[in-house]
């Protein structure tokens, strides 16, 4: 497959939109802005970046801190939900607001090294819809992550793999690269953490190509996780059930269509068979005469 245009071989950097969802993350603002500056410094020779910071209804000082920090930075934009809708919805809002075809979504809490996008971006080759970071890849890893989060994420990814029949090791990572045109019109039923997995499942259901890349997942640098374990667990189970039901429904519909097509074909063949039989029976009489 062909690599992204204007990359490595060309002197023209590829434009990239970076979407960062945030909810009550005042403790992370300083480290986030420092890491994004590092991304520009390290990868700026290959990519030009716009940063779309999506505040998902924060009730702390997150918005005020962001506004104060991005003053004078023309490639930074703050988009506000006003009310908390969930991380899946925030990523969707960021993708819709993005100016470029190549969109990165990343966590604000430092659980993944933002420079990882330098490894993921080249994998969005022609025909690829989505590239996802995977700590559960055989070459990935996990450090100091709470056991409950690790168990939930691993189990959910295993079940999603069975439901979607795609051998991806992680379905729940927020650190991804999207082809905007492949995902911008997708409608999520789950606006929260489950929506992150739902977005990937929808891409697969539509025949999109997903590539994963090993990553190191670490505990967040500051603040605390907003995930509600029981709610997220039940949401994942419901979504997995819907994915399986949709796949079985597709198989059943395909079998029904095949049976109907076969019956129509038989109906079309019967007159021809009758005509052929009449010809065969009459031919000897003609020859004898």
């Amino acid at each position: 497959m062909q690599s992204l245009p204007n990359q490595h071989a060309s002197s023209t950097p590829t434009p990239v939109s970076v979407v960062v969802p945030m909810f009550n993350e005042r403790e992370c603002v300083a480290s986030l802005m420092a890491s994004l500056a590092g991304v520009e410094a390290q990868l700026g020779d290959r990519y030009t970046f716009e940063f779309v910071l999506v505040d998902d209804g924060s009730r702390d000082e997150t918005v005020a801190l962001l506004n104060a920090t991005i003053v004078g930075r023309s490639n930074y934009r703050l988009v506000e939900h006003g009310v908390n809708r969930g991380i899946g919805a925030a990523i969707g809002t960021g993708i819709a607001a993005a100016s470029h075809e190549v969109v990165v979504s990343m966590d604000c809490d430092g659980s993944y090294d933002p420079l990882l996008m330098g490894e993921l971006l080249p994998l969005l080759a022609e025909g690829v819809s989505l590239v996802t970071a995977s700590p559960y890849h055989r070459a990935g890893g996990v450090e100091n992550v709470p056991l409950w989060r690790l168990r939930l994420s691993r189990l959910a990814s295993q079940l999603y793999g069975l439901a979607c029949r795609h051998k991806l090791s992680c379905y729940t990572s927020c650190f991804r690269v999207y082809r905007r045109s492949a995902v911008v019109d997708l409608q999520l039923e789950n606006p929260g953490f489950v929506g992150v997995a739902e977005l990937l499942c929808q891409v697969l259901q539509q025949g999109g190509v997903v590539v994963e890349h090993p990553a190191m997942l670490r505990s967040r640098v500051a603040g605390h996780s907003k995930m509600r374990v029981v709610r997220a667990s039940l949401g994942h189970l419901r979504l997995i059930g819907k994915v399986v039901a949709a796949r079985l429904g597709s198989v059943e519909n395909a079998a029904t269509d095949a049976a109907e097509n076969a019956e129509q074909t038989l109906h079309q063949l019967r007159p021809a068979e009758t005509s052929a039989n009449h010809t065969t029976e009459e031919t000897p009489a003609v020859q004898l005469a």
Side-chain angles (χ1 to χ4, degrees):
M1 287 183 290
Q2 185 178 354
S3 297
L4 281 171
N6 302 325
Q7 195 170 308
H8 302 301
S10 171
S11 59
T12 305
T14 301
V16 175
S17 298
V18 179
V19 173
V20 188
M22 306 182 73
F23 174 58
N24 291 342
E25 296 288 1
R26 62 184 179 185
E27 300 94 342
C28 294
V29 171
S31 59
L32 170 68
M33 299 305 292
S35 66
L36 295 183
V39 167
E40 289 190 275
Q42 294 293 320
L43 305 177
D45 59 331
R46 289 180 281 164
Y47 308 100
T48 56
F49 294 99
E50 74 159 356
F51 298 99
V52 183
L53 311 176
V54 182
D55 180 73
D56 188 31
S58 293
R59 297 185 293 271
D60 62 2
E61 296 80 22
T62 298
V63 171
L65 290 171
L66 288 173
N67 277 324
T69 306
I70 67 176
V71 170
R73 303 188 186 191
S74 60
N75 61 329
Y76 283 75
R77 285 189 288 142
L78 176 60
V79 180
E80 296 183 55
H81 273 174
V83 296
N84 180 241
R85 293 169 55 191
I87 189 170
I91 292 174
T93 294
I95 292 173
S99 303
H100 307 306
E101 172 70 348
V102 180
V103 182
V104 175
S105 67
M106 57 167 278
D107 307 78
C108 70
D109 59 12
S111 52
Y112 291 97
D113 182 356
L115 290 175
L116 179 65
M117 70 179 74
E119 300 176 25
L120 268 59
L121 282 164
L123 300 179
L124 194 72
E126 183 178 347
V128 176
S129 302
L130 187 158
V131 180
T132 183
S134 175
Y136 311 137
H137 188 282
R138 61 181 178 277
V142 177
E143 289 182 357
N144 300 321
V145 176
L147 187 59
W148 66 263
R149 179 183 175 185
L150 186 60
R151 285 179 173 174
L152 174 60
S153 182
R154 280 186 180 276
L155 177 60
S157 292
Q158 290 170 358
L159 293 176
Y160 279 119
L162 293 172
C164 296
R165 290 189 173 180
H166 283 272
K167 293 182 179 179
L168 298 174
S169 58
C170 185
Y171 280 74
T172 57
S173 171
C174 294
F175 204 126
R176 295 172 178 170
V177 179
Y178 298 95
R179 190 173 300 281
R180 184 178 183 275
S181 58
V183 299
V184 69
D185 294 326
L186 297 180
Q187 301 296 317
L188 299 180
E189 295 182 7
N190 300 277
F193 284 94
V194 178
V196 177
E198 183 186 359
L199 184 53
L200 192 153
C201 290
Q202 286 199 30
V203 170
L204 292 173
Q205 287 171 329
Q206 293 191 356
V209 176
V210 176
V211 175
E212 64 177 6
H213 182 72
M216 178 61 69
L217 173 64
R218 298 180 173 89
S219 59
R220 58 167 41 233
V221 296
H224 61 279
S225 174
K226 312 306 186 296
M227 181 185 291
R228 298 295 179 263
V229 180
V230 174
R231 181 186 301 175
S233 299
L234 293 175
H236 282 304
L237 290 175
R238 283 193 293 267
L239 177 57
I240 289 166
K242 287 184 177 181
V243 171
V244 172
R247 178 167 55 80
L248 293 178
S250 297
V251 171
E252 182 178 349
N253 290 338
T256 301
D257 291 343
E260 291 176 351
N261 290 336
E263 186 174 355
Q264 291 175 2
T265 302
L266 287 174
H267 279 301
Q268 293 170 357
L269 287 176
R270 279 171 189 148
E273 289 175 353
T274 303
S275 175
N277 289 336
H278 288 167
T279 303
T280 303
E281 292 171 357
E282 293 171 357
T283 300
V286 172
Q287 290 176 342
L288 289 173

